[in-house]
Amino acid sequence: MSDDALARMDIGLAQALLVNSVPIATWMLLQIFSSPSLLTEIRTEVEGLLVQSGTDAKDQVGVLDFTRIRTECPLLVSVWQEVLRMTSHLPSGRTVLEDTMLQDKYLLKKDATVFIFSGVLHSDAQQWGPDFDQFNPRRFLPALGQRKVHHPVAFRPL
């Protein structure tokens, strides 16, 4: 690719990231700060990742090690995933690889394009339970000794 084409691609990627990141961050903050107990729990998780920098006490600043969030902040990650589940309603297209019959009445022809809307998947009570339409910050926390409740393809956030 030419430098010009690469630059255009980079700008497009930056715009796409910004368009998705700002609303998700806003919804996360809204959900976290609307529950004092959730805010306290998440602060406790995140404080464990702070490292003091600087040699002099007056120069010390807390630095957050973002690389450890996924493994050491399960509640924060669960909140992020739940916000994505409740706010992401994007279509994704797939090409049908061979003629396929669904429920003995819907024929998907080979080479056709099928669009899957994540909002429909994310609001399926069979996958998410009767509280599918309510924010549950702990929905994605792994239960000890149990597998995840939802089907692996029921969560399509982006």
Side-chain angles (χ1 to χ4, degrees), residues 15 54 121:
Q15 287 176 329
L121 297 172

Side-chain angles (χ1 to χ4, degrees), residues 35-62:
S35 170
S37 61
L38 180 61
L39 176 60
T40 300
E41 288 179 78
I42 288 180
R43 278 185 172 159
T44 301
E45 274 188 350
V46 172
E47 284 173 355
L49 303 184
L50 288 177
V51 178
Q52 296 299 319
S53 70
T55 55
D56 194 353
K58 67 178 182 167
D59 294 332
Q60 287 194 348
V61 176

Side-chain angles (χ1 to χ4, degrees), residues 24-42:
I24 295 302
T26 302
W27 282 112
M28 279 188 70
L29 290 172
L30 175 73
Q31 293 294 350
I32 291 169
F33 279 87
S34 68
S35 170
S37 61
L38 180 61
L39 176 60
T40 300
E41 288 179 78
I42 288 180

Side-chain angles (χ1 to χ4, degrees), residues 111-141:
D111 295 326
T113 301
V114 175
F115 284 94
I116 303 163
F117 291 87
S118 60
V120 175
L121 297 172
H122 294 167
S123 59
D124 183 353
Q126 289 182 335
Q127 297 298 321
W128 302 104
D131 67 341
F132 72 90
D133 59 347
Q134 298 166 20
F135 181 79
N136 177 354
R138 289 171 173 71
R139 189 179 308 274
F140 287 88
L141 289 177

Side-chain angles (χ1 to χ4, degrees), residues 3-23:
D3 287 345
D4 187 54
L6 286 171
R8 289 174 192 264
M9 189 173 69
D10 285 346
I11 292 295
L13 179 60
Q15 287 176 329
L17 291 172
L18 183 61
V19 167
N20 291 323
S21 300
V22 172

